[in-house]
Amino acid sequence: MASAVANGVSLLHSQAYLESKVVNETKALVSDLCKQFYTLGWVSGTGGSITIKVHDSAVPKPQQLIVMSPSGVQKERMVPEDMYVLSVDGDVLAAPSPKPFPHKAPKCSDCGPLFMKAYKMRNAGAVIHSHGMESCLVTMIHPQSKEFRITHMEMIKGIQGHGYYDELVVPIIENTAQESELTESLSEAITAYPKSTAVLVRNHGIYVWGDSWISAKTQAECYHYLFDAAIKLNQLGLDWSSPSHGLLANGITLGGGWKRDIDGKVKSSIQNLDDSSGPSRQCILLDIEGTTTPISFVTDVLFPYARDNVRNDLISTYDSEETQEDIKLLRAQVLEDLKEGVVGARPIPPEDTGKDEVIAALVANVEAMIKADRKITALKQLQGHIWRTGYEKNELQGVVFDDVPKALAKWHDLGIKVYIYSSGSREAQRLIFGNTKFGDLRTYLCGFFDTMVGNKRESRSYSEIYQSLGVDKPSQILFLTDVYQEAVAAKAAGLEVIISVRPGNAPLPENHGFKTITSFSEI
């Protein structure tokens, strides 16, 4: 096959290749999965579909052929000969032969154009379209919502790039009479939600993709589990979108901080944050990314700098006590990741294996952690040390929004103590505020908290911070963040909360119930 690829992709379209072992094995796999998905209720009534790229190590992934299940065929009775084979451009290269009555004439899946979007826009290895009841009902609970959000569920870990504490967000698009008419809206959702590996179609089902058929299947199972959990939590009057999944008193949850009273009236379950009758603020607790600092500075400057310099930094500082401590933390984290099957985790050789081998494994793990944007202490501590070198070399400069320095100075003059709470290490926090174009802003800050105090989406973390500050009540602390789940957790701990809406921030749930600002000058 290597020679075939070298001579051009046209040889992939030859009859010999279309009848090759790898193509036939992929056809059989699609057939087997359709039967399994039928038993799960995902593809009943001939609905739903699955498509898989023909994995051939001699063929670059973007050029690999695509096997697709047909439309209008009983999925539990499919055989490999029923499959279509398509080119990367969606052209049909091989079609099944017609069957006698009562079978319908063969037809390529109506989902074809949508599958192709996932292949081209996400370089997917497989795409699954399910009509599972859970994926349909979960879009009907809140008919106006454009997103499904859930957090603090174990099965979230099965979704690429997500962990237990993360908020899983799946976009919802509106259904149309013809499946192919969904192509444009699906494409827009894929663009608008770059971290998502699925798109829900209201009153219809879900499209899920992955790097391989195993990844797509695993994620589809996790998505359906989470949808089922959300439906059952809603039936119990519990809020699936909050970290605590708590019961809202005297009503049933509607999600996003809203509830319905016994008399049917809908109102916010979160207290009015403009209520001036409460205790005066004595402390302000600030998030960084998306609140004091553009998200783009972190994602486009800091993360790439750490990724590009991790190898040289480890080599040059390998024997230092600080770096050895960083490596110790990374080893512990990687061992946990390997046990949990985290994508990208790679065993780190023992110390006596050799410096080069250890560093190579460390770099591979760190790169995977950065790519997944993981909020873990081992990664954040190492990143902080790498960034410190960057600031010392004047290769980095801290960035804050223009309204931040004035607000810090004003609060300082009013005697309000200001603290930082970020998923980045305290080292990284101090570097950002200590090296801005406005000078050293640390003079206005009283302290720094990172994930050593707890996860930012857990209410107990904010209770710990409250215990560390000299206030009588948690309500005397104002927390500013751009993340809805952090706002919910802080509010649950009794803090006053305002959400920061800055350019580039992720969209908030509809009817979230929190006060928002676009500048610190509004406080």
Side-chain angles (χ1 to χ4, degrees), residues 129-148:
H129 175 41
S130 163
H131 284 190
M133 184 63 73
E134 306 95 331
S135 61
C136 181
L137 292 180
V138 81
T139 68
M140 302 169 70
I141 297 175
H142 307 311
Q144 304 304 316
S145 177
K146 303 299 182 184
E147 299 171 335
F148 168 81

Side-chain angles (χ1 to χ4, degrees), residues 218-365:
T218 299
Q219 292 184 90
E221 291 170 350
C222 292
Y223 279 119
H224 282 78
Y225 175 97
L226 293 167
F227 299 152
D228 186 41
I231 293 167
K232 291 176 179 176
L233 286 168
N234 185 75
Q235 292 171 336
L236 293 170
L238 303 177
D239 184 0
W240 72 70
S241 64
S242 69
S244 63
H245 305 304
L247 177 67
L248 297 175
N250 300 322
I252 61 172
T253 179
L254 296 178
W258 293 81
K259 67 178 182 179
R260 187 183 300 277
D261 284 342
I262 295 175
D263 60 6
K265 295 181 180 179
V266 177
K267 67 178 183 179
S268 172
S269 64
I270 301 174
Q271 296 177 1
N272 186 347
L273 297 178
D274 284 324
D275 185 1
S276 59
S277 63
S280 60
R281 300 168 185 154
Q282 295 188 16
C283 298
I284 294 179
L285 185 65
L286 300 175
D287 172 51
I288 295 180
E289 185 179 356
T291 302
T292 68
T293 300
I295 290 177
S296 59
F297 173 67
V298 178
T299 59
D300 299 342
V301 178
L302 291 184
F303 284 176
Y305 187 91
R307 182 195 63 223
D308 295 341
N309 289 275
V310 61
R311 183 182 300 277
N312 289 336
D313 185 85
L314 288 172
I315 291 174
S316 62
T317 64
Y318 187 84
D319 295 321
S320 69
E321 182 177 346
E322 182 178 83
T323 296
Q324 285 299 310
E325 179 61 29
D326 290 346
I327 294 174
K328 180 179 178 181
L329 283 176
L330 285 167
R331 284 185 181 277
Q333 182 64 55
V334 170
L335 282 174
E336 182 178 341
D337 291 348
L338 290 170
K339 291 179 181 178
E340 296 182 358
V342 174
V343 175
R346 171 179 167 181
I348 300 175
E351 295 179 6
D352 58 2
T353 302
K355 176 179 175 180
D356 293 341
E357 289 78 7
V358 172
I359 289 178
L362 288 168
V363 171
N365 280 287

Side-chain angles (χ1 to χ4, degrees), residues 103 235 290 302 380 485:
H103 297 284
Q235 292 171 336
L302 291 184
K380 297 302 180 181
Q485 296 297 334

Side-chain angles (χ1 to χ4, degrees), residues 478-496:
L478 167 64
F479 177 54
L480 287 168
T481 180
D482 66 307
V483 179
Y484 170 69
Q485 296 297 334
E486 294 177 4
V488 171
K491 187 64 182 176
L495 278 66
E496 180 188 9

